Amino acid sequence: MNYETIIGLEVHAELLTASKLWCGCSTAFGNEPNTQVCPICLGLPGTLPVLNEKAVEYAVKAGLALGCRIAEWSRFDRKQYFYPDLPKAYQISQYDLPLCREGRVVITVDGLSREVGILRVHLEEEAGKLVHSGESLHGSEYSLVDYNRGGIPLIEIVTAPDLRSPEEARIFLERLRTVLRYIGVSDCKMEEGSLRCDANVNLRIKDEEGEYRTPIVEIKNLNSFRAVERALTYEVRRQVDEFMEKGRPPAGTDLSRTKVTAGWNEALGRTYVQRQKELADDYRYFPDPDLPPVVLSSEQVEKWRAELPELPEEKESRFRREYGLPAYDAAVLTASRAVADLFEETARLTGDAKMVSNWVMGEVFRLLKGAGDDLEQALRHCSITPAALAELLLFVKNERINANSGKEVLEEMYRTGKAATQIIAEKGLEQISGRDQLAGLVAEVIAAHPGVVEDIKNGKKAAIGFLVGQVMKATKGKANPKLVNELITQSLS
Amino acid sequence: MKLCEMTAYELSAALAERRVSAVEVVKAVFERIDAWEEELRCYITLDREGALAAAREVDAERAKGAKGTKGAKEANSRPLAGIPVAVKDNLSTRGLPTTCGSRHLQHYIPPYDATVIEKIRAAGMIVIGKTNMDEFAMGSSTETSGFYPTRNPWDTARIPGGSSGGSAAAVAAGEAVLALGSDTGGSIRQPAAFCGVVGLKPTYGLVSRYGLGAYGSSFDQVGPLARDVRDTAMLLQVLAGYDPLDSTSIHREVPDYLAALGGDVRGLVVGLPQEYFSPGIDSGVRAAVLAAVKVLEEGGAIIKEVSLPHTEYALAAFYLIAPSECSSNLARFDGIRYGYRAAGAPDTVTMFCRSRAESFGPEVKRRIMLGTYALSSGYYDAYYLKAQRVRTLVKQDFDKAFAECQVLVTPTTPTTAFRLGEKINDPLAMYMTDICTIPVNMAALPAISVPCGLVGGLPVGLQLIAPVLQEELLLRTAYYYEQAAAPLSHCPKPEPKPEPKPSSEVSK
Ligand SMILES: [Zn+2]
C-alpha cells in the first residue's frame, strides 16, 4: 500500500490593533472579565458596527506579505449560528469576497523549498470566551461568558491542501508566524490564543484496486506547534490503521462529502470525533446590510505594500550575501525578526558577524530555550539587547575575558538584567593579560614541576597543557590562556 | 384650544415668549393621557417624573437665558426645547425600558441612548414615554404588540395602523405633540394616514439608525410624526444628519427644512403612477387622493400619468428581503445577556429555543422562519438573491419615473383604518395594507403622508414620493397642499369626562 498525506490548514490570527473591529473597546489581553465591553460589542439592540480601518490595513498587509492579490472590492457577510459567546448570534466575516486571495508561502523542508498555496485571507471578528464550571458547556452546572475578547479583529488564512506531512504543517505554521510577526500585524501567541489552527487531513491511498481517498478529518483548535504535528501524526496513523482494518467502504458509499470534526486530547495524545457532518454547516451567509463594501484603491494598496518591512526570505538571502553566513545560519537567524535584529545590530556594534552569529545561535538560544519554545517571545521579555550583548562580546573579542567567563557573564546578564561590565567587575573576571603579571607565576609553576618540564623537553608537548592549567588554577581562571601558553613555550625553548 | 392640541410651532412661540412654561405643556399632555390613555393605550412606558424634571430644567434654562443676553438666541437655536415628544419603543433610551413591543424585552433597560434620542434631548425636547408598536415593528396595526393593541383615536373600534401605531395615535390624540417612529415598509406613513397626522419616511441614510432596534436593516429609517407639515419639518431638522456610529448614514450638510416650506407648486411636474390607482384601492380613498391632486393642479402643478411597472412584485420581494434581515437581526435575542430566558432548560440549545419560542409572538416567528428559509443554502439564489434583483428593478422604475416628473403622488394606504381583529388572522391581507408604501423603502426614497380628508369619518393619507434626499421638495409640496386644502376640520378628542382643571388653557 502506498499513500500520500494531504493536509490543509485554517489559521486564525488576532490582529494587533489597539481597538476592536467594530467599536472603540480595548483589545488588551488578560484584564478582568467584561471590563472591555460596550453596547456595540455586546450586540445590544440597535447598535451598529463601524469598521476599524487599521484592521483592514493589517489584513491587507498580511495578504501582501503572503503574496496575495488584494481585492479592490470586498464586503462583509454575516455567518449565523447560535452560541453563548457570540453576542449577535452571527459573526461578521467575509464569505465570497474576501480581502485577499491566491497567495503562496515558500517553506524549506529537509533543505528543499516547497511552495504552499494560500487560498484566501479574510477579516472577521473574534467571539467571546466561555468559562465552564465543569468540563464543557454540556454538563456544566453553569458557564460564564467573558466578552472582552469579543469583537477583536482576526484574520483567517486558508491554505490549499498542499502540505504533505505533519512536519510540513508545523514548518508552514512556524513560517506563517514569522511572517505575521515580521510585519507586526499579530503577536501570534499560541498559548494566549492569538494564533489558532484547525487542520484538515486525509489520505490518498493507492493500491492494486486503484486510488482511494479517506474521509477528511478536521482537527479543531490546535493551540501549539507541537500539538499540530502530534495531532496530525496521530490522525494519519489512525486513518492508515482504519484502512488496513476495514478496507474500502462498500461500493456506492459516497464519503467524499463527509467531513468529520475532531478534537485533540493533548494529555491522551489522541484525536476524538466531535461530530460527523453530512454536508457543510448552513451558516446562512448573507451580505451585512449595516456595512458598506470595502473599496480599496490601488494607490492605497501600493502605499501599504511600500510600508512592509524586509520579509524573512529577503532578509535571509541578504544575511548570506552581506555577512557571508552559511545557509543554515541565515535561516535560523531570520526565523524571528527579533533574533535577526539582535544579530544584525550586535554585529554592527562589534564588527564581528561570525562571532555574533556563533554566540546568538549557541549561548543566547540555549538560554532562551529555557523559557519555552517561543524564542521571539522569550527574547522580547529578557534583557539581552544588542547593546548589552555587544558590550559583553567586545570583552571576549578583545580578550579581556575568556570565552568561558563570557558564557558565565551572559547567563548572569540573562538572569539578573545586569550589564556585562558590572558583572565582570563584581566577579573580578577580567583576564590577566599583562606579560609582566604572568611571567613570575609561569616561572614559579615551571620551577615547581621539574618532572613535567622534563617530559616536555623529551618531546611530550601535550604536557604543556598541564602547566597552563596550573597557571590558570593559580589565577582562578583569569589568566589569558593563550598568553600563558606562549610564555611557557618561550621559557622552555 | 388646549395646550396639548396645539402644534409644536405654536407652542414653540408661546414658550419663547414665556406665555406658557414647559412644565405646563407637559402637564397638559399628561392630563390628556390621564383622560384617554386607558382606552387608547398609545404607550408601553410613561415617564411622568422624568418628563416633568426635564421640563423644569428647560424652564430654568429659559429663565436664566431671559435674564442674560442669550435668551432669544437660545430660543432660535433650540426651537423645540420644552416640546413633548413620544418615542417609539424600538428606540434605545438610557434608563427607560425599551421593549420593541416584545415580551422578550419587557424588562430590558438599555444603558445607552440612540443617536436620535441624544439629538432630541440636546434639542431640549421632553420625552413623555415609549409608544406601543407591533412586535419588533412587524405588523401594520399594533395588534402584534406583545402587550396590547392601540386604538385609533378617530374610532376606538379601529386600529391606528402600524407598526408606529402608538406614536401616530398619541400625536392624533394630544397625548404627545410630536413623535418618533420608524419605517421599514410603511410603518410611519401608514399609521399617520390612519390617524390623520403627518408622517415622513426620510431618505435611507438621512437619519441615524444607531439605537434603533433593527428589523430590516437595509430599509429601516427613523422619522417624524406630527400634526402638520411645519411641525414635521421642525422635527426632521433635529433628527437628520450624518452619524459616525452608523456606517450607512449619508455624509452631507443638512438643509434648512423650515425655510423650504414657502412657495407654490406652479410648474411642478407631479406624476400619478397608474399602478397605485388600481381597483384594489378603496373608491373613497381614491376620490380623496384625486381631489388632492386637483388642488395641486389648481395651484399650477402639471399632472402626468407615469408607470412603475414592477410595483406588483415589490411586496413579494420585500417579504423575502425584510424577513431575511430580521431572521438575522433577531437572532441575538437568545436570553443569554438580557431579555427573556426560559427557566429550567436542560442545555443551552433548549434554552435558546424555549426562550425564543416562549417570548416571541406568531408574526415575528412567521417572519423569522420565512427569512431563515430564504437564506438557507440551496434556496438563497432562488429567494434572497432574486428578491434583491427585483429590488433593483423597482429602483429603476422610480429612476425612470423621476426622469419624467419631480414628485409622485399616491394614496398612502388602499383603505382607511380597519377594525380591530379584521385582518390579524389573515397575514396576506395585512401585508397588502402596505402595498403603496413598501416600494418606497425598496428604493431608499423619501416619502411623506399628509391627511387629505375624511372618508366615513376616518382620515385618508396622501403619499408624496420624491427622489433621494429631496425632503425639501416633499415638505414644500405637502405644505402647499395642506395650506390650500386644510383637509382636516377637527382633531379627535376623548369623550367628555369631568375635566380635572381648566388650568391648561392658553393665556393669550
Ligand atoms: Zn465595544
Side-chain angles (χ1 to χ4, degrees):
Chain A
M1 182 184 101
N2 198 331
Y3 72 87
E4 188 175 30
T5 304
I6 303 165
I7 299 170
L9 302 181
E10 282 171 29
V11 183
H12 289 93
E14 283 183 3
L15 297 179
L16 279 174
T17 53
S19 58
K20 293 185 180 180
L21 188 51
W22 313 116
C23 65
C25 290
S26 164
T27 57
F29 178 80
N31 287 334
E32 282 291 296
N34 298 312
T35 53
Q36 288 158 207
V37 294
C38 72
I40 297 170
C41 56
L42 288 177
L44 296 190
T47 54
L48 298 170
V50 175
L51 180 60
N52 179 343
E53 285 171 18
K54 203 75 191 166
V56 176
E57 177 187 329
Y58 283 6
V60 168
K61 282 183 169 171
L64 289 170
L66 300 174
C68 292
R69 288 196 300 123
I70 308 303
E72 281 170 44
W73 202 95
S74 76
R75 72 171 176 222
F76 290 99
D77 302 276
R78 294 183 181 178
K79 178 181 181 178
Q80 312 192 68
Y81 61 96
F82 288 95
Y83 209 66
D85 64 5
L86 194 65
K88 300 185 292 296
Y90 58 81
Q91 177 194 33
I92 304 178
S93 181
Q94 297 194 284
Y95 183 50
D96 52 351
L97 297 167
L99 271 174
C100 323
R101 284 174 189 275
E102 294 168 25
R104 53 167 213 123
V105 168
V106 177
I107 56 171
T108 309
V109 184
D110 297 331
L112 296 172
S113 280
R114 290 259 294 112
E115 194 173 299
V116 180
I118 301 293
L119 297 179
R120 58 187 283 157
V121 178
H122 75 246
L123 187 56
E124 62 185 26
E125 63 180 324
E126 181 76 280
K129 206 172 169 176
L130 289 170
V131 181
H132 308 297
S133 66
E135 287 279 299
S136 61
L137 183 61
H138 188 77
S140 280
E141 192 192 338
Y142 63 87
S143 294
L144 303 172
V145 204
D146 176 7
Y147 293 104
N148 281 356
R149 204 181 68 171
I152 287 178
L154 277 183
I155 45 174
E156 180 177 315
I157 300 154
V158 183
T159 76
D162 288 347
L163 297 158
R164 290 291 165 267
S165 73
E167 187 199 8
E168 270 188 37
R170 177 186 46 78
I171 291 171
F172 167 81
L173 202 58
E174 285 171 351
R175 190 59 171 185
L176 185 64
R177 178 177 68 173
T178 299
V179 171
L180 296 180
R181 283 179 169 177
Y182 257 68
I183 59 175
V185 302
S186 175
D187 58 15
C188 296
K189 294 183 190 170
M190 284 195 101
E191 72 283 5
E192 286 181 13
S194 67
L195 184 73
R196 300 192 295 275
C197 180
D198 301 338
N200 288 282
V201 56
N202 73 334
L203 308 175
R204 187 170 17 213
I205 295 171
K206 283 178 198 143
D207 60 9
E208 55 286 354
E209 282 181 59
E211 190 179 296
Y212 167 69
R213 286 173 191 240
T214 57
I216 297 172
V217 172
E218 181 180 18
I219 314 170
K220 288 280 197 190
N221 287 321
L222 295 165
N223 54 15
S224 75
F225 291 89
R226 203 172 101 90
V228 170
E229 192 168 356
R230 282 183 74 206
L232 284 168
T233 305
Y234 174 88
E235 185 54 34
V236 168
R237 190 71 248 156
R238 194 198 62 75
Q239 290 186 22
V240 170
D241 290 349
E242 188 174 77
F243 180 78
M244 302 283 270
E245 199 182 308
K246 295 187 184 163
R248 285 175 165 71
T253 327
D254 180 13
L255 287 175
S256 63
R257 296 169 83 187
T258 309
K259 191 166 169 177
V260 178
T261 302
W264 167 244
N265 187 318
E266 181 79 38
L268 296 178
R270 56 189 299 169
T271 57
Y272 58 94
V273 172
Q274 288 181 322
R275 63 202 155 114
Q276 192 136 356
K277 302 190 237 183
E278 285 306 315
L279 283 167
D281 273 325
D282 190 356
Y283 291 117
R284 289 172 284 115
Y285 280 101
F286 78 109
D288 192 326
D290 290 332
L291 289 160
V294 180
V295 183
L296 293 173
S297 67
S298 53
E299 293 79 47
Q300 179 63 77
V301 173
E302 288 316 309
K303 184 178 162 281
W304 285 335
R305 193 195 299 276
E307 285 169 14
L308 287 179
E310 184 182 36
L311 294 172
E313 235 172 293
E314 299 155 16
K315 204 183 273 291
E316 192 180 321
S317 56
R318 183 170 64 79
F319 276 16
R320 293 172 65 175
R321 205 171 57 235
E322 233 168 75
Y323 301 106
L325 296 179
Y328 176 78
D329 294 18
V332 169
L333 287 172
T334 53
S336 143
R337 188 172 167 187
V339 170
D341 289 349
L342 175 71
F343 160 75
E344 193 157 30
E345 183 60 11
T346 312
R348 190 183 67 77
L349 291 170
T350 57
D352 191 340
K354 183 69 199 148
M355 179 194 195
V356 174
S357 77
N358 285 340
W359 274 79
V360 169
M361 290 171 62
E363 289 310 302
V364 174
F365 277 14
R366 192 176 57 77
L367 290 172
L368 294 179
K369 276 178 182 152
D373 5 295
D374 193 335
L375 282 183
E376 172 141 340
Q377 284 308 312
L379 182 55
R380 285 192 194 285
H381 291 107
C382 80
S383 56
I384 299 179
T385 62
L389 183 60
E391 186 187 29
L392 168 67
L393 295 189
L394 282 173
F395 272 99
V396 179
K397 184 176 157 75
N398 297 332
E399 300 188 346
R400 292 176 63 189
I401 61 172
N402 62 41
N404 276 333
S405 300
K407 290 173 189 174
E408 190 186 329
V409 174
L410 183 65
E411 214 167 314
E412 185 82 5
M413 285 166 66
Y414 180 75
R415 231 178 30 178
T416 64
K418 285 186 193 165
T421 323
Q422 193 190 348
I423 297 166
I424 290 165
E426 278 171 10
K427 298 199 162 193
L429 289 174
E430 191 144 7
Q431 286 194 127
I432 303 169
S433 293
R435 282 174 180 273
D436 302 345
Q437 283 169 282
L438 290 173
L441 203 55
V442 167
E444 274 173 40
V445 167
I446 287 174
H449 299 89
V452 180
V453 171
E454 203 56 35
D455 287 350
I456 295 167
K457 286 190 170 156
N458 291 336
K460 206 174 160 196
K461 295 286 181 206
I464 289 180
F466 174 79
L467 295 179
V468 173
Q470 293 305 306
V471 176
M472 296 303 289
K473 202 171 154 193
T475 58
K476 295 195 176 102
K478 288 192 283 181
N480 179 341
K482 244 165 78 187
L483 185 59
V484 172
N485 198 311
E486 192 186 315
L487 288 171
I488 293 171
T489 313
Q490 240 169 41
S491 40
L492 294 185
S493 61
Chain B
M1 187 188 262
K2 285 180 182 301
L3 283 177
C4 67
E5 290 167 4
M6 288 167 64
T7 64
Y9 184 82
E10 292 160 350
L11 286 169
S12 172
L15 284 161
E17 291 158 22
R18 305 188 69 201
R19 282 184 278 123
V20 65
S21 72
V23 168
E24 286 172 295
V25 176
V26 168
K27 280 188 173 160
V29 165
F30 275 103
E31 263 170 38
R32 175 60 61 88
I33 288 170
D34 290 338
W36 212 357
E37 175 62 6
E38 210 180 327
E39 187 181 10
L40 295 180
R41 313 209 79 173
C42 302
Y43 289 92
I44 292 171
T45 305
L46 283 165
D47 187 20
R48 198 179 296 253
E49 277 166 32
L52 281 169
R56 276 193 288 270
E57 213 171 287
V58 168
D59 286 339
E61 266 174 48
R62 220 185 275 275
K64 226 173 8 183
K67 275 187 211 134
T69 50
K70 58 166 197 155
K73 224 191 229 169
E74 161 76 13
N76 281 336
S77 70
R78 300 206 309 169
L80 292 179
I83 305 295
V85 60
V87 173
K88 190 176 182 180
D89 209 20
N90 57 356
L91 287 163
S92 189
T93 44
R94 183 172 51 225
L96 209 55
T98 299
T99 70
C100 294
S102 179
R103 289 258 166 215
H104 186 88
L105 293 176
Q106 188 168 10
H107 304 294
Y108 169 66
I109 300 177
Y112 80 103
D113 272 337
T115 297
V116 290
I117 300 300
E118 280 185 355
K119 286 185 170 203
I120 62 169
R121 289 200 206 275
M125 300 180 71
I126 315 291
V127 175
I128 295 295
K130 306 295 294 290
T131 55
N132 195 22
M133 55 184 285
D134 286 291
E135 187 174 13
F136 291 111
M138 297 174 204
S140 310
S141 66
T142 74
E143 289 167 294
T144 76
S145 163
F147 305 102
Y148 36 75
T150 298
R151 307 267 170 169
N152 192 317
W154 292 84
D155 176 353
T156 54
R158 291 173 190 270
I159 54 87
S163 64
S164 313
S167 287
V171 170
E175 291 193 15
V177 176
L178 296 171
L180 301 188
S182 69
D183 191 317
T184 304
S187 278
I188 289 175
R189 291 158 289 158
Q190 186 253 30
F194 284 178
C195 291
V197 299
V198 180
L200 186 142
K201 193 266 314 174
T203 302
Y204 185 78
L206 181 69
V207 176
S208 169
R209 290 188 296 121
Y210 187 75
L212 168 68
Y215 159 23
S217 310
S218 69
F219 306 99
D220 296 343
Q221 267 295 288
V222 178
L225 290 115
R227 298 214 188 95
D228 65 17
V229 175
R230 189 163 51 193
D231 277 14
T232 306
M234 288 175 85
L235 184 49
L236 182 63
Q237 195 74 51
V238 173
L239 303 179
Y242 172 71
D243 179 8
L245 293 177
D246 176 358
S247 308
T248 60
S249 87
I250 298 171
H251 225 310
R252 170 181 173 269
E253 191 82 17
V254 177
D256 184 340
Y257 294 118
L258 209 49
L261 294 185
D264 54 29
V265 293
R266 206 167 300 277
L268 181 78
V269 186
V270 173
L272 296 190
Q274 56 185 63
E275 293 80 4
Y276 288 71
F277 293 88
S278 67
I281 306 293
D282 173 85
S283 58
V285 169
R286 185 182 332 173
V289 170
L290 290 176
V293 171
K294 197 92 196 140
V295 172
L296 295 175
E297 191 169 18
E298 281 161 5
I302 300 152
I303 311 299
K304 207 168 172 181
E305 267 209 9
V306 296
S307 174
L308 300 166
H310 295 95
T311 301
E312 63 172 309
Y313 306 110
L315 190 80
F318 177 87
Y319 275 102
L320 286 168
I321 302 170
S324 294
E325 292 179 358
C326 98
S327 72
S328 175
N329 288 330
L330 268 59
R332 70 189 63 197
F333 300 115
D334 56 11
I336 294 283
R337 292 157 301 279
Y338 52 85
Y340 178 82
R341 182 191 289 188
D347 56 61
T348 328
V349 172
T350 313
M351 187 179 91
F352 288 151
C353 293
R354 280 202 208 148
S355 298
R356 293 164 65 78
E358 290 170 16
S359 66
F360 289 163
E363 185 59 32
V364 167
K365 287 177 186 167
R366 179 161 28 242
R367 295 196 199 185
I368 289 174
M369 284 190 278
L370 265 174
T372 304
Y373 188 79
L375 290 177
S376 296
S377 106
Y379 299 96
Y380 181 89
D381 288 3
Y383 293 111
Y384 180 80
L385 217 54
K386 185 166 255 176
Q388 290 289 14
R389 294 201 186 103
V390 171
R391 186 176 188 171
T392 304
L393 294 174
V394 169
K395 258 186 217 168
Q396 286 170 355
D397 277 1
F398 280 107
D399 290 344
K400 282 177 200 153
F402 284 126
E404 293 176 51
C405 67
Q406 292 161 279
V407 68
L408 292 164
V409 171
T410 77
T412 308
T413 56
T415 65
T416 53
F418 44 92
R419 285 173 190 286
L420 223 72
E422 195 179 321
K423 299 188 179 180
I424 193 65
N425 295 316
D426 185 351
L428 258 180
M430 190 70 92
Y431 296 169
M432 292 299 279
T433 68
D434 294 327
I435 194 144
C436 302
T437 46
I438 276 173
V440 174
N441 299 74
M442 301 277 281
L445 301 174
I448 192 170
S449 177
V450 279
C452 64
L454 300 174
V455 169
L458 294 170
V460 177
L462 174 76
Q463 178 174 240
L464 304 172
I465 308 165
V468 162
L469 292 171
Q470 300 262 348
E471 277 79 3
E472 292 160 277
L473 175 63
L474 273 188
L475 288 163
R476 184 185 310 131
T477 311
Y479 185 70
Y480 173 84
Y481 166 72
E482 185 188 65
Q483 296 303 304
L488 294 182
S489 52
H490 66 287
C491 66
K493 288 176 198 201
E495 291 288 307
K497 276 189 207 166
E499 289 280 339
K501 252 192 278 168
S503 66
S504 59
E505 298 294 321
V506 176
S507 46
K508 279 209 172 154

